[in-house]
Amino acid sequence: MKIKGTQLFVKALEQEGVDTLFAYPGGMAIDLFDALYGVESFNVVLPRHEQGLVHAADGYARATGKVGVCLVTSGPGATNLVTGIATANFDSVPLVCFTGQVPTNLIGNDAFQEVDIVGICRSICKYAVTVRRREDLGRIIKEAFYIARTGKPGPVVVDFPKDIQLALGSDEYPSEVSMRSYKPSTGVHMGQLKRAAEMLAAARRPLFLVGGGVNIAQAGESLRALVEKTHIPVITTIMGKGAIPTDNPYYIGNMGMHGNVASNTAVSECDILFSIGTRFNDRITGKISEFAKNAKIVHIDIDAASISRNIVVDVPIVADAREALAKLNEIMPEMKHDIGDWTMRLRKIREDRPIVQDGGGDVTPQDVIRAINDTFPEAIVTTDVGQNQLWTTQFLELKGRSKLLTSGGLGTMGYGLPAAIGAKLGRPELPVVCVSGDGGFQMNEQELATAVCQEIPLTICILNNCYLGNVRQWQEMFFGGKYSCTCLRKRKSCGAWCSSPNTECPPYIPDFVKLAESYGIEGIRVTKREEIPAAFARAKAKTNAPILIEFIIEKESNVLPIVPGGNALSEMVCEYKKEGN
Ligand code: FAD
């Protein structure tokens, strides 16, 4: 039977098992939306901006492990996806993004709302393609889903011209993929794995460094079994956090620029750094020549290009983390030495030099995150980017089915709220909490409407310090305290350049409580520590609507420790006093 391209599109999503489509209509996608009318096999969610849309699909994908699916129109609809596609690409998130396109005979003519989205996205996605012939449509969609979810997952863009949408063609949707040009690696090189296992067993100060790849591979169970067997201490990158429960006795903490002292010391002192699913980016290595310089390094990663790119490793193993860890569990010999002293030493450093909240205030970020830990023993927590994100990664406990969703690689402000919406739509059985800052929240606050219309409970926590806090912190510590364009309350009448917030400053721009109320939801402002439990009790009681809680925190609190850019991990700044104090 012959059907239109739009009908095959709907059939393809059904056959791929899609349950949620994040979609925003427009001229070059209107026929696709016509085909979606009345479809009941999946939920079509209408966000309020395409950037919110793609972050919601990203949050859905990270929360469920499934592919997030987006549909937008051409031109601005497509370009509004760009930041979200790059965000997903950095953090290996599987997305398939369909963009409407002008008819093929107008491509290249500067037609209305025409952009070369494939060209724009080529360097920030896993694969991008324009469908040029109706007969290729089914195969291209099938391949898009396959490419997005296999190997190192990532976003795929399918640009879908209007004439192909309308053209009649076969109703067949392929059941299999056959691509000569793309073969994700499978299997584990057992020789290399045995070599790594023997090195690990012979080590006196071994350390597991667990990255985002372990969460992506859902390899937590094998990791826990291996740790139980070997008693080797574990540190994580912020993307690897949660792969092992944070209360596991062998878990030391996060490492890197804002990691804890014990974890960063462990990297400097270990003799084997057994790393799994991490890209060794500059936020975790610090000065490369000083990184783990007493250690032999093993690196398991699914992407050959991640291996020895930033840090040269001794034993490279290209493999899926889940498969490799399962095999490692089978072949791991007895540890040759007692490593108890090493583990005790790291635990002692962690006890003696814990992460402490810098700055005072009636409500501290640590108070807020601790209250999240207490209120929601299992939850999906999303963050925005900046200090709110870093405090969350430092103080959040992750146990059971809990997950942390954060924009690590691109550091995209505005990520938190839409990602929380996508996460809740994908995992309705778990509470979802969004921790945001007053800056990042304003980048996608319009998505409050989406949460309201989807009738989902979300606990939205805004840590309001009236600053773009992370940049302000760097200006304070490394730029002589000149707060250039980081005060979110600065008005024209404030005077030229101000680095001293005071009582004359306007209190709220905007008033987030009123903003919440304007969307018909409850907004609470918390200014004292003792008000925190009642606010979270209100949040916990919500069943079909979000709640927004604004926490007024100390304006100039800093995230500590910090490894200043270009320094070695051992050169952490753990205490800081503002000049003049
Ligand atoms: P990812 O970037 O997610 O990389 C995952 C790796 O796993 C990739 O190499 C991929 O190929 C591989 N992989 C994917 N799937 C599999 C699989 N199935 N099997 C095996 N391998 C797989 N991060 C920190 O850790 N510490 C910090 O102090 C820190 N500070 C930050 C500050 C700010 C303001 C921001 C915005 C970010 C910060 N980050 C920090 C985050 C940092 O930028 C990186 O995002 C993060 O360190 C990357 O961690 P990763 O390499 O483990 O994970």
Side-chain angles (χ1 to χ4, degrees):
M1 195 175 88
K2 295 227 182 274
I3 59 173
K4 283 188 200 167
T6 55
Q7 292 168 301
L8 185 62
F9 165 78
V10 173
K11 181 172 178 179
L13 298 200
E14 286 171 344
Q15 301 223 337
E16 290 296 333
V18 172
D19 56 34
T20 310
L21 171 67
F22 298 88
Y24 202 103
M28 292 302 137
I30 197 162
D31 297 287
L32 288 160
F33 282 83
D34 189 52
L36 286 170
Y37 188 82
V39 168
E40 287 181 354
S41 43
F42 49 85
N43 183 18
V44 183
V45 177
L46 172 69
R48 293 300 182 266
H49 188 292
E50 289 91 349
Q51 188 187 351
L53 181 156
V54 62
H55 291 327
D58 171 313
Y60 168 93
R62 294 193 208 209
T64 60
K66 298 190 248 178
V67 176
V69 189
C70 305
L71 170 64
V72 300
T73 192
S74 63
T79 54
N80 280 342
L81 291 187
V82 168
T83 301
I85 291 173
T87 303
N89 197 46
F90 250 112
D91 294 345
S92 307
V93 180
L95 299 181
V96 174
C97 303
F98 293 94
T99 56
Q101 181 57 284
V102 301
T104 43
N105 66 323
L106 292 184
I107 290 178
N109 285 13
D110 285 347
F112 175 65
Q113 293 195 325
E114 181 200 354
V115 294
D116 173 13
I117 194 65
V118 166
I120 290 169
C121 289
R122 197 160 274 139
S123 66
I124 53 156
C125 70
K126 193 168 172 188
Y127 180 57
V129 60
T130 301
V131 189
R132 294 202 173 253
R133 301 184 318 170
R134 171 64 182 82
E135 57 267 39
D136 294 335
L137 179 62
R139 175 184 57 79
I140 286 178
I141 299 180
K142 187 81 197 168
E143 288 174 356
F145 277 89
Y146 177 70
I147 293 169
R149 70 175 156 241
T150 53
K152 180 181 190 287
V156 174
V157 176
V158 179
D159 192 31
F160 198 175
K162 191 173 173 86
D163 54 326
I164 310 287
Q165 296 172 25
L166 293 174
L168 289 172
S170 163
D171 65 348
E172 298 268 311
Y173 183 65
S175 54
E176 290 192 355
V177 169
S178 163
M179 296 175 73
R180 270 194 298 170
S181 53
Y182 173 73
K183 295 262 180 273
S185 53
T186 50
V188 185
H189 190 298
M190 286 310 289
Q192 288 290 81
L193 197 68
K194 274 187 192 140
R195 197 176 142 212
E198 273 152 28
M199 282 164 70
L200 200 54
R204 291 181 185 273
R205 294 182 309 281
L207 185 65
F208 285 125
L209 165 55
V210 170
V214 176
N215 280 330
I216 293 166
Q218 300 177 4
E221 212 170 290
S222 294
L223 173 68
R224 287 193 289 281
L226 191 60
V227 171
E228 227 148 77
K229 194 167 178 178
T230 58
H231 294 179
I232 293 173
V234 183
I235 60 168
T236 52
T237 65
I238 69 173
M239 304 308 281
K241 185 163 175 155
I244 186 160
T246 47
D247 61 354
N248 183 292
Y250 295 94
Y251 181 57
I252 304 299
N254 273 347
M255 53 96 53
M257 180 175 265
H258 299 286
N260 68 28
V261 177
S263 298
N264 284 349
T265 306
V267 176
S268 303
E269 293 187 1
C270 65
D271 59 359
I272 294 281
L273 184 65
F274 197 105
S275 46
I276 315 145
T278 177
R279 314 184 267 117
F280 290 109
N281 79 102
D282 51 287
R283 300 283 108 162
I284 72 160
T285 59
K287 190 174 180 183
I288 286 190
S289 57
E290 294 295 309
F291 182 80
K293 65 177 189 184
N294 300 307
K296 293 268 184 240
I297 303 181
V298 175
H299 188 187
I300 299 175
D301 201 290
I302 202 158
D303 180 16
S306 282
I307 296 185
S308 290
R309 182 166 53 193
N310 299 329
I311 294 289
V312 178
V313 305
D314 300 282
V315 185
I317 302 172
V318 180
D320 170 61
R322 186 152 145 181
E323 201 179 338
L325 287 175
K327 294 245 160 70
L328 190 55
N329 267 315
E330 286 167 20
I331 62 163
M332 185 67 206
E334 286 285 304
M335 297 297 287
K336 293 202 170 65
H337 307 284
D338 181 358
I339 57 165
D341 284 356
W342 163 239
T343 309
M344 290 304 283
R345 174 170 155 66
L346 297 179
R347 284 186 189 145
K348 174 110 178 51
I349 300 175
R350 193 180 54 183
E351 222 166 85
D352 293 347
R353 305 190 63 189
I355 292 178
V356 283
Q357 180 65 58
D358 168 73
D362 291 320
V363 177
T364 67
Q366 186 172 1
D367 295 332
V368 178
I369 312 301
R370 291 245 158 99
I372 294 172
N373 293 336
D374 294 343
T375 314
F376 303 106
E378 278 194 320
I380 297 179
V381 177
T382 71
T383 75
D384 227 283
V385 162
Q387 289 183 314
N388 64 86
Q389 170 187 37
L390 300 170
W391 284 315
T392 306
T393 63
Q394 290 181 330
F395 299 119
L396 185 71
E397 301 290 344
L398 290 174
K399 297 172 208 158
R401 295 169 298 168
S402 298
K403 274 180 191 251
L404 170 67
L405 314 187
T406 193
S407 166
L410 196 66
T412 305
M413 287 173 69
Y415 174 80
L417 174 62
I421 293 169
K424 186 69 193 176
L425 290 168
R427 300 292 303 275
E429 74 283 10
L430 283 176
V432 174
V433 181
C434 163
V435 180
S436 194
D438 47 324
F441 190 76
Q442 289 182 67
M443 288 206 176
N444 270 317
E445 65 191 5
Q446 76 286 343
E447 298 308 332
L448 280 173
T450 314
V452 169
C453 292
Q454 290 296 317
E455 301 174 334
I456 48 175
L458 296 177
T459 303
I460 302 162
C461 304
I462 301 180
L463 304 180
N464 190 348
N465 56 8
C466 304
Y467 276 107
L468 298 173
N470 206 37
V471 185
R472 184 212 56 74
Q473 173 174 343
W474 281 61
Q475 289 172 340
E476 179 185 346
M477 296 180 77
F478 310 120
F479 290 85
K482 292 176 284 175
Y483 293 171
S484 184
C485 293
T486 43
C487 176
L488 291 171
R489 296 180 303 168
K490 188 174 182 302
R491 295 179 182 197
K492 200 172 169 197
S493 54
C494 286
W497 295 101
C498 162
S499 294
S500 323
N502 60 54
T503 48
E504 309 289 298
C505 304
Y508 309 116
I509 307 177
D511 181 328
F512 287 110
V513 172
K514 287 193 179 136
L515 183 76
E517 286 164 3
S518 75
Y519 283 97
I521 61 170
E522 186 172 351
I524 301 177
R525 178 168 298 121
V526 170
T527 58
K528 296 194 183 69
R529 185 167 292 131
E530 52 272 25
E531 295 165 0
I532 297 176
F536 276 104
R538 300 276 316 155
K540 207 172 176 183
K542 296 281 170 213
T543 55
N544 62 359
I547 183 168
L548 185 155
I549 314 174
E550 179 196 36
F551 298 90
I552 305 297
I553 61 165
E554 155 67 30
K555 297 182 191 69
E556 293 173 283
S557 281
N558 290 322
V559 178
L560 295 174
I562 179 171
V563 177
N567 283 23
L569 289 184
S570 55
E571 294 166 321
M572 276 167 282
V573 176
C574 297
E575 282 171 40
Y576 176 78
K577 281 228 170 330
K578 191 176 180 179
E579 268 174 42
N581 284 1

